[in-house]
Amino acid sequence: MSTTTAPARETPTQVAAEATVGVETTDGSVVDPSSPARGITGAQSLVRSLEAVGVDLVFGLPGGAILPLYDPLFDSSVRHVLVRHEQGAGHAATGYAQATGRVGVCMATSGPGATNLVTPLADAYMDSVPLVAITGQVASGFIGTDAFQEADIRGITMPITKHNFLVTHADEIPQRIAEAFHLASTGRPGPVLVDVPKDVLQATTDFVWPPRIDLPGYKPTTRPHGKQVREAAAVIQAAKQPVLYVGGGVLKAGASEVLAELAELTGAPVVTTLMARGAFPDSHAQHLGMPGMHGTVTAVAALQKADLLVALGARFDDRVTGKLESFAPDATIVHADIDPAEIGKNRKADVPIVGDAKETITELVAALTTLQGEHGRPDLSGWWAQLDRWRETYPLGYDLPEDGALSPQYVIERLGAIAGPDAVYCAGVGQHQMWAAQFVKYEKPGTWLNSGGLGTMGYAVPAAMGAKAGRPEATVWAIDGDGCFQMTNQELATCAIEGIPIKVAVINNGNLGMVRQWQTLFYEGRYSNTRLHNRGSGGGEIEPIRIPDFVKLGEALGCVGLRCERPEDVDATIAAAMEITDRPVVIDFVVGSDAQVWPMVAAGASNDDILAARDVRPVFTEGPV
């Protein structure tokens, strides 16, 4: 079996080696970005540093403190995309990084510009996205005086960045940029912030590349310990009901191909978390789907009944485990992760392995091949018989609305079928995110982008913009809810002006859909402040109105606006959007307000209490003897 390799995560050394062949400036001259330069400004040194590490694209918005940096950027080979809000810059850099495997870069000025990056930094931190944020700061002499547009962005972001720097001298700039990219892209990826005072950008300095990287104590372990790998192979060989529990770390490591080897060698079922969709093909017979709060019944049940969980780049988060004390009660745990802090954090690991997912899986394959040569392949036929019964009894599905309204699940299912497995899908947060994870079939890595850990509404449009800018040959769809869309849709103007033709499917149910679902299930249908399109918020029924009109809004922002309200028009509307390639497209899919996401494990409940649909509780046997 073959799979498509995920975009490989590149190190600064790799990209710097590529960059040294020379870059073309705006005046047509070709320069070696790593060649030394004397008597230049700190801002020029910073731009040269970005070129030297191979940056080709930056998302940002200028302002007073960072303005000295924007002047040499005008002559650089680095493309700058002028966003409409700094949050858009951060999410676009994240989308770029997730889609390409390269470090995403964003820029903002001091004070409110920098604080507008806080949400995207927290988002990237939770989802382990390699990101470098460069912020301007007030001049050194004004730091700590409550100067105009001053904010301690280092202190503010310390808990939500992998590391951050305040540059105090222009001579430090190349070293700090090199260190930032090294930190962001190695080990467990994450965001790094570099804060540069205005006077440092204006100071005179000499540029020398490559600089010395000095990060005492930072030595991430990539190669797993051989003894731990052999022990893990032994318990896998002995297991009767194993599950490969695959997290986003597999995608970050570019390990999809070796994961397929491991799965087929062991014959074990595979579940892929929300952050790992696409790491293993949905069409593969061993794939049980997504686990967790809105995962498939079979994936959730398999984890609960397993005698062995092999967690690969996953972190046992609450949305997967449900009530932790009752999660997979009889399972031995093999936990492989590049971040030792994750191992044992939520669930004790019986066989801990610290290492890069690709290297770990590769060595597991080698060790298991040896064991199977001696003892044969384990017989999992009884386990698969049980799993297949669950799959047949509790498949993913949905009911069409009785009133003839457009079904959101149907819209997303058809979108996935028409756009196909090569498209990139970016989701906001809420019901539409879960339906996109459930009903689009992901066959390849790097095709599913979402805000998994932080759950950031407003992520989809700017992330899609970043993904499309990084992979212009790909069709990129943002699947957004009408609530999420109203948070960051101004970046459609950026897309229209910059020539980034994304496509947006607004799943418009007139409500904050996931909150409404919880109000239906847990608050007796008291819909407090979740209706988006009605005048007022009283209890009485008021005729809904279109504020805003998403078609007109899209057109005002330079997009083609389309609307679809009938099931029979869905395919034609999607096809029409697919034909438009010279500008962004916004489709207003007007859907019913009462559709819900199923299956579901209520927050804080045990996975044993999963509901396949409302009031439909699956019946599980104890599994094979």
Side-chain angles (χ1 to χ4, degrees), residues 231-244 266-269 305-310 330-334 368 371-372 376-384 624:
E231 187 174 345
V235 295
I236 294 171
Q237 180 72 11
K240 302 298 183 186
Q241 297 171 209
V243 176
L244 302 183
T266 61
K305 303 300 182 182
D307 64 1
L308 173 67
L309 297 186
V310 182
D330 300 320
T332 298
I333 304 296
V334 173
L368 280 163
L371 281 178
Q372 289 189 10
R377 179 171 170 156
D379 179 10
L380 303 182
S381 57
W383 181 220
W384 273 110

Short mmCIF file of all heavy atoms in Angstrom, two decimals, residues 231-244 266-269 305-310 330-334 368 371-372 376-384 624:
data_model
loop_
_atom_site.label_atom_id
_atom_site.label_comp_id
_atom_site.label_asym_id
_atom_site.label_seq_id
_atom_site.Cartn_x
_atom_site.Cartn_y
_atom_site.Cartn_z
N GLU A 231 11.00 -3.54 24.09
CA GLU A 231 9.96 -3.87 25.06
C GLU A 231 8.57 -3.59 24.47
O GLU A 231 7.64 -4.37 24.64
CB GLU A 231 10.16 -3.07 26.34
CG GLU A 231 9.21 -3.47 27.46
CD GLU A 231 9.51 -2.77 28.77
OE1 GLU A 231 10.61 -2.19 28.91
OE2 GLU A 231 8.64 -2.80 29.66
N ALA A 232 8.46 -2.46 23.75
CA ALA A 232 7.19 -2.13 23.11
C ALA A 232 6.83 -3.17 22.06
O ALA A 232 5.68 -3.61 21.96
CB ALA A 232 7.27 -0.75 22.48
N ALA A 233 7.81 -3.59 21.28
CA ALA A 233 7.56 -4.61 20.26
C ALA A 233 7.08 -5.91 20.88
O ALA A 233 6.18 -6.58 20.35
CB ALA A 233 8.82 -4.84 19.43
N ALA A 234 7.63 -6.25 22.03
CA ALA A 234 7.24 -7.49 22.70
C ALA A 234 5.78 -7.45 23.15
O ALA A 234 5.04 -8.42 22.99
CB ALA A 234 8.17 -7.76 23.88
N VAL A 235 5.35 -6.32 23.72
CA VAL A 235 3.96 -6.25 24.19
C VAL A 235 3.00 -6.15 23.00
O VAL A 235 1.87 -6.67 23.08
CB VAL A 235 3.75 -5.08 25.18
CG1 VAL A 235 4.55 -5.31 26.45
CG2 VAL A 235 4.07 -3.73 24.58
N ILE A 236 3.42 -5.54 21.91
CA ILE A 236 2.58 -5.53 20.71
C ILE A 236 2.41 -6.94 20.16
O ILE A 236 1.31 -7.37 19.80
CB ILE A 236 3.18 -4.59 19.63
CG1 ILE A 236 3.15 -3.14 20.10
CG2 ILE A 236 2.42 -4.74 18.31
CD1 ILE A 236 3.91 -2.18 19.20
N GLN A 237 3.49 -7.69 20.14
CA GLN A 237 3.47 -9.05 19.64
C GLN A 237 2.54 -9.93 20.48
O GLN A 237 1.87 -10.83 19.96
CB GLN A 237 4.89 -9.63 19.63
CG GLN A 237 5.02 -11.06 19.13
CD GLN A 237 4.83 -11.20 17.62
OE1 GLN A 237 4.80 -10.20 16.92
NE2 GLN A 237 4.70 -12.43 17.15
N ALA A 238 2.49 -9.66 21.78
CA ALA A 238 1.71 -10.50 22.69
C ALA A 238 0.25 -10.08 22.80
O ALA A 238 -0.58 -10.83 23.31
CB ALA A 238 2.35 -10.47 24.09
N ALA A 239 -0.10 -8.88 22.35
CA ALA A 239 -1.44 -8.35 22.56
C ALA A 239 -2.49 -9.11 21.74
O ALA A 239 -2.23 -9.55 20.62
CB ALA A 239 -1.48 -6.87 22.20
N LYS A 240 -3.68 -9.22 22.31
CA LYS A 240 -4.81 -9.84 21.62
C LYS A 240 -5.79 -8.80 21.09
O LYS A 240 -6.54 -9.06 20.14
CB LYS A 240 -5.55 -10.78 22.58
CG LYS A 240 -4.68 -11.90 23.16
CD LYS A 240 -4.16 -12.80 22.07
CE LYS A 240 -3.35 -13.96 22.66
NZ LYS A 240 -2.72 -14.78 21.59
N GLN A 241 -5.83 -7.63 21.73
CA GLN A 241 -6.77 -6.58 21.33
C GLN A 241 -6.06 -5.22 21.30
O GLN A 241 -6.41 -4.31 22.04
CB GLN A 241 -7.96 -6.53 22.30
CG GLN A 241 -8.79 -7.82 22.27
CD GLN A 241 -9.83 -7.87 23.37
OE1 GLN A 241 -10.21 -8.93 23.84
NE2 GLN A 241 -10.32 -6.71 23.80
N PRO A 242 -5.05 -5.08 20.44
CA PRO A 242 -4.30 -3.83 20.40
C PRO A 242 -5.01 -2.76 19.56
O PRO A 242 -5.83 -3.06 18.69
CB PRO A 242 -2.99 -4.25 19.73
CG PRO A 242 -3.41 -5.34 18.78
CD PRO A 242 -4.53 -6.08 19.49
N VAL A 243 -4.65 -1.51 19.84
CA VAL A 243 -5.10 -0.37 19.02
C VAL A 243 -3.93 0.58 18.85
O VAL A 243 -3.23 0.90 19.83
CB VAL A 243 -6.29 0.38 19.67
CG1 VAL A 243 -6.65 1.62 18.83
CG2 VAL A 243 -7.50 -0.52 19.83
N LEU A 244 -3.69 1.04 17.62
CA LEU A 244 -2.73 2.11 17.37
C LEU A 244 -3.46 3.43 17.48
O LEU A 244 -4.33 3.76 16.67
CB LEU A 244 -2.11 1.96 15.97
CG LEU A 244 -1.39 0.65 15.67
CD1 LEU A 244 -0.77 0.69 14.27
CD2 LEU A 244 -0.31 0.34 16.70
N THR A 266 1.42 -5.19 11.87
CA THR A 266 0.78 -5.69 13.08
C THR A 266 -0.63 -6.20 12.83
O THR A 266 -1.13 -7.05 13.58
CB THR A 266 0.71 -4.59 14.15
OG1 THR A 266 -0.09 -3.50 13.64
CG2 THR A 266 2.09 -4.08 14.51
N GLY A 267 -1.29 -5.64 11.81
CA GLY A 267 -2.70 -5.97 11.60
C GLY A 267 -3.62 -5.31 12.60
O GLY A 267 -4.82 -5.61 12.66
N ALA A 268 -3.11 -4.36 13.39
CA ALA A 268 -3.89 -3.74 14.46
C ALA A 268 -4.79 -2.65 13.90
O ALA A 268 -4.46 -1.99 12.91
CB ALA A 268 -2.96 -3.15 15.51
N PRO A 269 -5.92 -2.42 14.55
CA PRO A 269 -6.77 -1.30 14.16
C PRO A 269 -6.11 0.04 14.48
O PRO A 269 -5.30 0.14 15.41
CB PRO A 269 -8.04 -1.50 14.99
CG PRO A 269 -7.60 -2.31 16.17
CD PRO A 269 -6.51 -3.19 15.67
N LYS A 305 -12.05 -1.16 25.10
CA LYS A 305 -11.94 -2.61 25.26
C LYS A 305 -10.55 -3.16 24.95
O LYS A 305 -10.31 -4.36 25.08
CB LYS A 305 -12.97 -3.30 24.35
CG LYS A 305 -14.41 -2.87 24.59
CD LYS A 305 -14.88 -3.15 26.01
CE LYS A 305 -16.35 -2.75 26.19
NZ LYS A 305 -16.81 -2.97 27.58
N ALA A 306 -9.64 -2.29 24.54
CA ALA A 306 -8.31 -2.75 24.13
C ALA A 306 -7.53 -3.31 25.32
O ALA A 306 -7.70 -2.88 26.47
CB ALA A 306 -7.53 -1.59 23.51
N ASP A 307 -6.64 -4.27 25.02
CA ASP A 307 -5.69 -4.72 26.05
C ASP A 307 -4.34 -4.04 25.87
O ASP A 307 -3.45 -4.16 26.72
CB ASP A 307 -5.55 -6.24 26.06
CG ASP A 307 -4.94 -6.81 24.77
OD1 ASP A 307 -4.62 -6.03 23.84
OD2 ASP A 307 -4.80 -8.05 24.68
N LEU A 308 -4.18 -3.28 24.76
CA LEU A 308 -2.94 -2.53 24.53
C LEU A 308 -3.25 -1.30 23.69
O LEU A 308 -3.89 -1.41 22.64
CB LEU A 308 -1.92 -3.40 23.78
CG LEU A 308 -0.64 -2.67 23.31
CD1 LEU A 308 0.20 -2.23 24.51
CD2 LEU A 308 0.17 -3.54 22.37
N LEU A 309 -2.80 -0.15 24.15
CA LEU A 309 -2.84 1.08 23.36
C LEU A 309 -1.41 1.48 23.03
O LEU A 309 -0.58 1.62 23.94
CB LEU A 309 -3.52 2.22 24.11
CG LEU A 309 -4.99 2.06 24.49
CD1 LEU A 309 -5.51 3.36 25.09
CD2 LEU A 309 -5.83 1.65 23.30
N VAL A 310 -1.15 1.66 21.75
CA VAL A 310 0.15 2.16 21.31
C VAL A 310 -0.08 3.61 20.89
O VAL A 310 -0.56 3.89 19.79
CB VAL A 310 0.72 1.33 20.15
CG1 VAL A 310 2.09 1.85 19.75
CG2 VAL A 310 0.79 -0.14 20.53
N ASP A 330 -8.41 -1.72 30.93
CA ASP A 330 -7.62 -2.96 30.91
C ASP A 330 -6.41 -2.89 29.98
O ASP A 330 -5.78 -3.91 29.71
CB ASP A 330 -8.53 -4.13 30.48
CG ASP A 330 -9.70 -4.32 31.43
OD1 ASP A 330 -9.49 -4.20 32.65
OD2 ASP A 330 -10.82 -4.56 30.94
N ALA A 331 -6.09 -1.69 29.52
CA ALA A 331 -5.06 -1.58 28.49
C ALA A 331 -3.68 -1.32 29.09
O ALA A 331 -3.51 -0.48 29.98
CB ALA A 331 -5.40 -0.45 27.52
N THR A 332 -2.69 -2.05 28.59
CA THR A 332 -1.29 -1.69 28.78
C THR A 332 -1.02 -0.49 27.86
O THR A 332 -1.54 -0.43 26.74
CB THR A 332 -0.39 -2.86 28.40
OG1 THR A 332 -0.68 -3.96 29.28
CG2 THR A 332 1.09 -2.49 28.51
N ILE A 333 -0.20 0.45 28.31
CA ILE A 333 0.03 1.67 27.55
C ILE A 333 1.48 1.74 27.08
O ILE A 333 2.41 1.75 27.90
CB ILE A 333 -0.29 2.93 28.38
CG1 ILE A 333 -1.72 2.88 28.92
CG2 ILE A 333 -0.05 4.19 27.54
CD1 ILE A 333 -2.80 2.90 27.86
N VAL A 334 1.66 1.77 25.77
CA VAL A 334 2.94 2.16 25.16
C VAL A 334 2.75 3.59 24.70
O VAL A 334 1.86 3.89 23.90
CB VAL A 334 3.30 1.27 23.96
CG1 VAL A 334 4.54 1.82 23.26
CG2 VAL A 334 3.53 -0.17 24.41
N LEU A 368 9.62 -5.47 15.30
CA LEU A 368 8.49 -6.39 15.12
C LEU A 368 8.72 -7.36 13.97
O LEU A 368 8.29 -8.51 14.03
CB LEU A 368 7.21 -5.58 14.88
CG LEU A 368 6.56 -5.01 16.14
CD1 LEU A 368 5.58 -3.91 15.78
CD2 LEU A 368 5.88 -6.11 16.94
N LEU A 371 10.66 -10.11 15.48
CA LEU A 371 9.84 -10.96 16.33
C LEU A 371 8.90 -11.84 15.52
O LEU A 371 8.71 -13.03 15.82
CB LEU A 371 9.02 -10.09 17.29
CG LEU A 371 9.75 -9.53 18.51
CD1 LEU A 371 8.80 -8.65 19.33
CD2 LEU A 371 10.28 -10.66 19.40
N GLN A 372 8.30 -11.27 14.48
CA GLN A 372 7.39 -12.07 13.67
C GLN A 372 8.12 -13.13 12.87
O GLN A 372 7.56 -14.20 12.58
CB GLN A 372 6.58 -11.14 12.74
CG GLN A 372 5.56 -10.29 13.48
CD GLN A 372 4.62 -9.54 12.55
OE1 GLN A 372 4.60 -9.79 11.34
NE2 GLN A 372 3.85 -8.62 13.10
N GLY A 376 5.97 -15.65 14.24
CA GLY A 376 4.80 -15.52 13.38
C GLY A 376 3.98 -14.28 13.73
O GLY A 376 4.20 -13.61 14.74
N ARG A 377 3.01 -14.00 12.89
CA ARG A 377 2.16 -12.82 13.09
C ARG A 377 1.05 -13.14 14.08
O ARG A 377 0.43 -14.21 14.00
CB ARG A 377 1.56 -12.39 11.75
CG ARG A 377 0.64 -11.19 11.82
CD ARG A 377 0.28 -10.72 10.43
NE ARG A 377 -0.78 -9.74 10.45
CZ ARG A 377 -0.99 -8.84 9.51
NH1 ARG A 377 -0.19 -8.81 8.45
NH2 ARG A 377 -1.99 -7.98 9.58
N PRO A 378 0.76 -12.24 15.02
CA PRO A 378 -0.31 -12.51 15.99
C PRO A 378 -1.66 -12.69 15.31
O PRO A 378 -1.94 -12.08 14.27
CB PRO A 378 -0.30 -11.25 16.87
CG PRO A 378 1.04 -10.64 16.69
CD PRO A 378 1.45 -10.97 15.29
N ASP A 379 -2.50 -13.53 15.90
CA ASP A 379 -3.83 -13.78 15.38
C ASP A 379 -4.81 -12.81 16.04
O ASP A 379 -5.13 -12.93 17.22
CB ASP A 379 -4.25 -15.22 15.67
CG ASP A 379 -5.66 -15.53 15.16
OD1 ASP A 379 -6.22 -14.68 14.43
OD2 ASP A 379 -6.20 -16.60 15.49
N LEU A 380 -5.28 -11.83 15.28
CA LEU A 380 -6.22 -10.84 15.81
C LEU A 380 -7.61 -11.04 15.23
O LEU A 380 -8.45 -10.12 15.27
CB LEU A 380 -5.73 -9.42 15.47
CG LEU A 380 -4.34 -9.03 15.97
CD1 LEU A 380 -4.03 -7.58 15.58
CD2 LEU A 380 -4.23 -9.20 17.48
N SER A 381 -7.90 -12.22 14.70
CA SER A 381 -9.17 -12.44 14.01
C SER A 381 -10.37 -12.27 14.94
O SER A 381 -11.41 -11.72 14.52
CB SER A 381 -9.19 -13.83 13.38
OG SER A 381 -8.98 -14.84 14.35
N GLY A 382 -10.25 -12.71 16.19
CA GLY A 382 -11.35 -12.54 17.13
C GLY A 382 -11.62 -11.07 17.42
O GLY A 382 -12.78 -10.64 17.51
N TRP A 383 -10.56 -10.30 17.58
CA TRP A 383 -10.67 -8.85 17.84
C TRP A 383 -11.32 -8.16 16.65
O TRP A 383 -12.25 -7.34 16.81
CB TRP A 383 -9.29 -8.31 18.13
CG TRP A 383 -9.09 -6.85 18.45
CD1 TRP A 383 -8.06 -6.07 18.01
CD2 TRP A 383 -9.86 -6.02 19.33
NE1 TRP A 383 -8.15 -4.80 18.54
CE2 TRP A 383 -9.25 -4.74 19.36
CE3 TRP A 383 -11.02 -6.22 20.08
CZ2 TRP A 383 -9.75 -3.68 20.11
CZ3 TRP A 383 -11.52 -5.16 20.83
CH2 TRP A 383 -10.89 -3.90 20.85
N TRP A 384 -10.91 -8.52 15.45
CA TRP A 384 -11.48 -7.90 14.26
C TRP A 384 -12.92 -8.31 14.05
O TRP A 384 -13.74 -7.51 13.55
CB TRP A 384 -10.64 -8.22 13.03
CG TRP A 384 -9.52 -7.24 12.85
CD1 TRP A 384 -8.19 -7.45 13.00
CD2 TRP A 384 -9.67 -5.86 12.50
NE1 TRP A 384 -7.48 -6.29 12.77
CE2 TRP A 384 -8.37 -5.30 12.47
CE3 TRP A 384 -10.76 -5.04 12.23
CZ2 TRP A 384 -8.14 -3.95 12.17
CZ3 TRP A 384 -10.54 -3.71 11.93
CH2 TRP A 384 -9.25 -3.17 11.90
N PRO A 624 -13.65 -10.39 22.11
CA PRO A 624 -13.31 -11.79 21.84
C PRO A 624 -12.71 -12.47 23.05
O PRO A 624 -12.11 -11.84 23.90
CB PRO A 624 -12.30 -11.69 20.70
CG PRO A 624 -11.73 -10.32 20.82
CD PRO A 624 -12.81 -9.46 21.35
#
